Every structure is written in structure tokens, then in C-alpha cells.
Amino acid sequence: MFSTEITLKVVKPVVFILCLLPAMMLVYGFLTHNLGADPIQLMLKETGEWALRLLLATLAVTPIRHIFGWSSLIRIRRMLGLFSFFYALLHITIYITFDQSLDIVEIINDIFKRPFITIGVMSFLLMLPLALTSSNYAIRYLTGKKWKQLHQLVYLVGIGAVIHFLWLAQSKAYITEPLIYMTILAMLLLVRHPPIMQKLKR
Amino acid sequence: MLIKSPSDIKPSEITSESDYKNRRQFLQQMGKVAAATAITLGTTTQLTACQGATNTGMDLPEKYRDYPDITRHALSTKEKLTDYDSITSYCNFYEFGTSKSAPSFYSILMQTRPWTVEVEGEVEKPLTLNIEDILRRFALQEYVYRLRCVEGWSMVIPWVGFPLADLIKYCKPTSNAKYVHFVSLHNPEQMIGQKRDVLDWPYEEGLRIDEATHPLTIMSVGMYGNELLNQNGAPIRLVVPWKYGFKSIKSVVKLRFTEKQPVSTWTKSAEDEYGFYANVNPEVDHPRWSQGKERRIGEYFKRKTLLFNGYADQVASLYSGMDLHKHF
């Protein structure tokens, strides 16, 4: 599809700016008092959803590479994964700061008391080793195989994030969105099944 | 003649109209920028939906236009009022959609005249009350109450209304009347959210008769000195300030006096999450979130939630001897 050069010189910077836009809009909206009646709640929801969307985008890289023969797309995967982590970090920071006023005891209580918080925090913690070992140095240090095994944790992060959203919504009124993400995640996992991947490969 | 106490500052004097109009214009421009950006992104994010809330093109009437000389009831709180924009754009009114902003868009379809309230059940004689009769018959005052939503946010709202006790007295309930059962409008053509079965329509609520006749319990017909806007439950709604907001049923068309405890719509929907009493209680958590704290709209950090939403002195005696964990 696109050459490595176009992927690196055109696609990557465009994707970089697109990934940054939601955060910039939130900051701008916040500073100009333009995020509605409950700006904190809106930022909490938006950062969480962008973390999930970008995680799914990260997981879509491999299938897209194979199906469309766009192998150089691998060059933007790390950036997508790190942006997902960036939004997840913003999400949990807003929760800790504004929802819990940095009260450690309250936060620990909340983690033990509410399953959707438990799984959300777990998913975030599983992202940490992935973000920390994303540098070229770490990849070399761990050698390819170990690095690959470690980064398969991303599937657990995805499942955990979707469950976090499903359990938060729960009621009929709000279930549609998390169900959409669940379906996309299921498709992205299914497509990795070797016989299916073989059929789709170009 | 009514004599106002010196502390009775008209809230219309606090924010000038031009100030909030300027803000609205600005918000509208911002909404357009945000919408354009979202289209470029090819996403439909909640961000723009919410910014749209203040971009409905709906012009809010000037505050205290309809009831310029309304006097403030002594039970009113002196806390800072939540701003008019927030109260009218951030609404839970699933009849018009499940997002906070949907009611301010879609409630325009609701016809609030003519409007009648049926009174039936355990009464001497069933009645049909016209909204005009109601407005004429009962003495209106301003009641500034805290409103605590079960979702964990709160507001301070200057309602215009009259005690429900006055209406109940007028209805002449029999001695069998132990509960009041309220029913909202059911009209999917005017309430497009009712085309989805997210709840079992029509919305229904209930109060014990002693709760219903408590001086804090009012029927509201206005807010910020004006008639209620549709998204806030026009033309007439219940306000019970010590209970979670969902108890304060909007756009009421029927009152039924009953001997048996009515079942609330939210209880029907999830009985382990929403009980009949729904008293604000920081000690009794919702299964999925804490009720210990709330975010006052307009503030960033959460504050502690108070038992009975801060009205414990007035209402705690209604529940003496009851296990509030069981009767949540």
C-alpha cells in the first residue's frame, strides 16, 4: 500500500497530531470553560474512551498490515500504544485528583469495593510494563522473543478495559457504546486466529 | 402586603443579563469550532454532544421575568445558586434521551398547554385539575433547595412552587390514602426518548403520605423566577430535596392516592440499585459507585454528601426506627 517513506514522513506525523487533538481540545475547552456543566466528569469520560479507542487502534495495526499488505504501518504502532497509555494516565490522574482528592485510603477502599474500578486499575497497571519497555533499548535488552511475550499482555489490557466500561454502564440506557467497543475488540482478537488470518492475508 | 426581610436579595441582581448573554454567544461560537473539529476527526464524541448542550440556539428567558416579585421561603438554603445555563443544559430526563444534553434539544417537542393533572384513587371524589387552575389556586413562593443526583453530582436550584401538602389537602384524600403515586406524561411523539424502552414508560414515582405532606416537599412550576422550561419538567413537577433527584418526577399528569406502596420506575428497572425511599445517604452506597461524595456543579473537587442531603433536622424523624440500609 504505502511505502515506508510515506508511512514515516506523512502518515506518522498526521496520526501524531490526530492523537493529540482530543487532549488539546479538552485542555482548551477546560481553560475556556467550555466543557459543559460538569467539566471534570466530561474529561474523565473522554480520556477513558480515547485510551480505549487508541488501544483498539494499536491492536488493529497487525491485521491491517496483513490484510492490506501495508507492512510499514508497524512503524506507527508504538506511537499509538503510547498515546493509549497517555490517555489512560490522564484518565486515572483525573480520577485520583478530582474524584478522590488524592485520598489514598479512599482510593484503596474504592479499588476493593467496586469491581469496575478494580479491573480498570488492573488494566492500567498492566499497561505500565508495556509503556516502560517500549524503547528501542528495552526491545534490544529483552531480546525479541521475551519482549513479544511481555507485550502480549496488551490483549489482557484490552479485555480489562472493555469490561471496565461494560460494568460502569451496565444499565440498558448506556450499554450501547461499550458493546460496540466489545465487538470491535472481539473482531480484532478473532482475526489473529491463524486460519482466519491466513484467509485474509494478501 | 408582603414584607421582605432585608436578606432577601433578588437573585436577578447577582448576575447581569448581558454577562450571561455574552457567555452564551461565546459558547455558541466555541460549539461550532468544536463541531467542525469533530467532523474533521470523523468522530462523534461526547465532547461535542455536551458542548452542543449550550449551543441549542435556545435562548433562555431573562431570569425572574415571569415571577419578578416572588418571595423566598424560609426553608431556602443560602448557598450559591447553580447557574441557569447549567440547570437548563445538564438534565437527566430520559423521556428525551439518555444524555445530559438531549433534554435541552428535544424537549421543545413537548406540549405543555393544555395540561391537566388527574387525581384519583383514595380520594373523596376524583378530580381533573387544569394547570391554570393550579397556578391560580396555590400560593407560589421561591424555594432554594439542594438537589443531589444519585449519579454523584449536585446543584442548588431556586424553584418556584407550592407545598404538595396544599394540593393534597385540596384533593381530600380518604383515610385509606397511605401513599401518593405520581405518573409522568407518556407520549412518544412528544417525548422521543420514549421510543426506546430504556425504562418502563410512563415514568412513575411514589411517596409515603407523611413524606408527601412534609413542608419541604413542593410541586414546582418554575425555576429562577420563570415558568419551568420543558427540560426541567414543565409545566409541573415534584421536588423532594432530601431524596435523590430521580424521585422528583417531572411533567406530572396524574396523582393517585393508594393504600399500597407504589413501585417506582427506577425500582422496577433495578431494584437492587434504586429503592422506594431513595433518601440521600452517604452511608449507603450505590452498588457501582460511592454515595459518600458529590460534585457540586460549578466546582472541580468533590464535597462530602450529607445525610438526607443536609435536611436531616427536618426529616430524620420521618424514618425513626427504620433500618436505612434496608429501606434504601
Side-chain angles (χ1 to χ4, degrees):
Chain A
M1 208 165 156
F2 295 116
S3 67
T4 308
E5 200 185 352
I6 291 184
T7 305
L8 283 177
K9 291 208 167 131
V10 181
V11 179
K12 199 175 176 184
V14 168
V15 172
F16 180 86
I17 289 168
L18 287 178
C19 288
L20 209 54
L21 254 183
M24 283 166 37
M25 281 171 68
L26 285 174
V27 170
Y28 184 68
F30 183 78
L31 294 176
T32 53
H33 304 283
N34 195 34
L35 295 181
D38 195 346
I40 302 292
Q41 182 60 32
L42 184 82
M43 290 197 291
L44 190 65
K45 182 179 157 57
E46 285 299 320
T47 50
E49 277 203 52
W50 278 107
L52 180 54
R53 285 172 191 146
L54 290 166
L55 190 74
L56 296 176
T58 313
L59 288 174
V61 166
T62 296
I64 289 173
R65 285 178 70 211
H66 291 311
I67 294 165
F68 298 99
W70 183 6
S71 51
S72 62
L73 192 64
I74 191 74
R75 309 291 284 267
I76 72 162
R77 187 172 70 175
R78 171 167 57 192
M79 187 177 80
L80 288 171
L82 283 172
F83 263 116
S84 172
F85 175 72
F86 166 68
Y87 281 99
L89 183 66
L90 288 177
H91 182 61
I92 202 164
T93 305
I94 292 168
Y95 162 77
I96 290 171
T97 315
F98 293 101
D99 273 17
Q100 299 295 355
S101 306
L102 305 171
D103 186 335
I104 288 292
V105 179
E106 285 274 323
I107 292 165
I108 290 169
N109 277 339
D110 213 26
I111 291 172
F112 281 101
K113 212 152 133 192
R114 260 167 284 281
F116 93 93
I117 299 279
T118 320
I119 197 148
V121 170
M122 272 167 44
S123 306
F124 176 75
L125 291 178
L126 287 177
M127 279 182 119
L128 275 175
L130 307 190
L132 291 173
T133 58
S134 63
S135 66
N136 288 338
Y137 173 78
I139 297 169
R140 272 199 307 274
Y141 181 80
L142 285 171
T143 73
K145 203 176 160 208
K146 265 192 218 154
W147 187 89
K148 212 174 162 184
Q149 276 176 344
L150 176 66
H151 280 250
Q152 278 171 349
L153 280 177
V154 72
Y155 303 129
L156 279 183
V157 176
I159 293 167
V162 164
I163 294 174
H164 169 65
F165 199 11
L166 277 169
W167 280 350
L168 166 69
Q170 214 166 64
S171 85
K172 235 189 209 173
Y174 296 108
I175 203 80
T176 320
E177 252 185 300
L179 283 180
I180 292 169
Y181 291 120
M182 189 184 81
T183 311
I184 295 171
L185 178 70
M187 278 161 50
L188 290 172
L189 295 181
L190 210 65
V191 83
R192 288 173 153 76
H193 187 52
I196 297 176
M197 186 63 98
Q198 275 309 318
K199 274 198 184 143
L200 292 170
K201 249 185 190 170
R202 283 227 306 209
Chain B
M1 197 186 121
L2 290 161
I3 297 165
K4 287 194 212 173
S5 66
S7 66
D8 227 351
I9 302 163
K10 257 202 273 173
S12 57
E13 290 162 20
I14 294 169
T15 307
S16 77
E17 195 196 351
S18 64
D19 279 350
Y20 83 81
K21 278 225 168 118
N22 282 341
R23 179 170 171 275
R24 291 192 64 75
Q25 270 176 8
F26 182 65
L27 286 172
Q28 284 177 11
Q29 284 160 8
M30 292 318 305
K32 280 169 200 154
V33 171
T37 321
I39 289 161
T40 349
L41 279 171
T43 59
T44 52
T45 69
Q46 189 65 25
L47 177 60
T48 48
C50 212
Q51 290 182 324
T54 44
N55 184 28
T56 55
M58 156 205 77
D59 266 323
L60 293 172
E62 188 191 342
K63 297 176 196 174
Y64 295 88
R65 178 197 64 183
D66 301 335
Y67 301 105
D69 300 315
I70 193 110
T71 58
R72 203 169 265 190
H73 193 275
L75 285 167
S76 294
T77 172
K78 293 192 170 58
E79 287 161 277
K80 183 180 177 285
L81 303 182
T82 301
D83 62 54
Y84 198 20
D85 264 352
S86 296
I87 302 173
T88 52
S89 67
Y90 196 77
C91 314
N92 277 329
F93 200 168
Y94 282 15
E95 280 84 339
F96 300 111
T98 51
S99 75
K100 296 282 183 290
S101 56
S104 62
F105 286 101
Y106 298 116
S107 64
I108 195 162
L109 297 169
M110 181 169 64
Q111 303 287 325
T112 57
R113 293 291 188 285
W115 190 277
T116 54
V117 179
E118 307 280 335
V119 180
E120 55 177 51
E122 296 291 343
V123 283
E124 281 181 15
K125 202 176 87 186
L127 298 169
T128 300
L129 297 167
N130 208 308
I131 186 69
E132 276 80 18
D133 294 339
I134 294 173
L135 292 172
R136 224 174 295 128
R137 193 174 301 274
F138 302 102
L140 301 180
Q141 274 196 289
E142 182 168 74
Y143 296 80
V144 184
Y145 285 160
R146 291 177 287 276
L147 176 135
R148 167 63 155 79
C149 178
V150 73
E151 296 169 343
W153 52 268
S154 62
M155 293 183 176
V156 177
I157 304 179
W159 301 107
V160 175
F162 58 91
L164 175 57
D166 293 358
L167 177 61
I168 290 177
K169 206 168 142 196
Y170 181 75
C171 296
K172 299 201 175 78
T174 68
S175 58
N176 287 334
K178 303 283 191 294
Y179 295 91
V180 191
H181 182 162
F182 303 84
V183 185
S184 262
L185 179 65
H186 187 204
N187 185 335
E189 293 308 308
Q190 295 181 23
M191 296 179 137
I192 59 162
Q194 289 178 337
K195 290 181 178 173
R196 281 178 68 202
D197 61 348
V198 290
L199 288 172
D200 189 5
W201 310 114
Y203 198 94
E204 299 183 311
E205 261 307 337
L207 291 174
R208 231 167 50 189
I209 200 88
D210 57 342
E211 298 176 319
T213 52
H214 191 280
L216 279 169
T217 307
I218 59 164
M219 292 308 290
S220 170
V221 296
M223 197 265 297
Y224 260 116
N226 287 329
E227 281 186 12
L228 277 180
L229 294 180
N230 288 0
Q231 61 263 42
N232 296 119
I236 183 164
R237 63 168 295 170
L238 178 70
V239 177
V240 196
W242 71 93
K243 293 177 181 284
Y244 293 117
F246 71 87
K247 289 295 287 184
S248 293
I249 184 169
K250 305 183 185 82
S251 306
V252 174
V253 296
K254 191 180 282 182
L255 259 70
R256 189 185 299 130
F257 291 86
T258 64
E259 203 171 354
K260 282 207 302 204
Q261 183 173 298
V263 182
S264 308
T265 297
W266 273 108
T267 309
K268 229 184 277 177
S269 152
E271 61 178 342
D272 55 327
E273 299 191 9
Y274 310 100
F276 174 76
Y277 286 96
N279 291 320
V280 176
N281 191 337
E283 301 297 318
V284 180
D285 280 343
H286 184 278
R288 284 179 283 137
W289 56 82
S290 159
Q291 293 295 28
K293 282 188 257 172
E294 68 200 49
R295 181 173 293 117
R296 180 66 54 86
I297 296 301
E299 296 177 354
Y300 296 138
F301 292 95
K302 291 196 169 180
R303 54 167 73 203
K304 283 212 156 65
T305 288
L306 304 173
L307 182 61
F308 297 115
N309 201 21
Y311 297 100
D313 287 349
Q314 289 95 341
V315 301
S317 60
L318 293 173
Y319 310 101
S320 57
M322 275 174 68
D323 179 355
L324 296 176
H325 282 84
K326 205 173 136 215
H327 299 282
F328 60 90

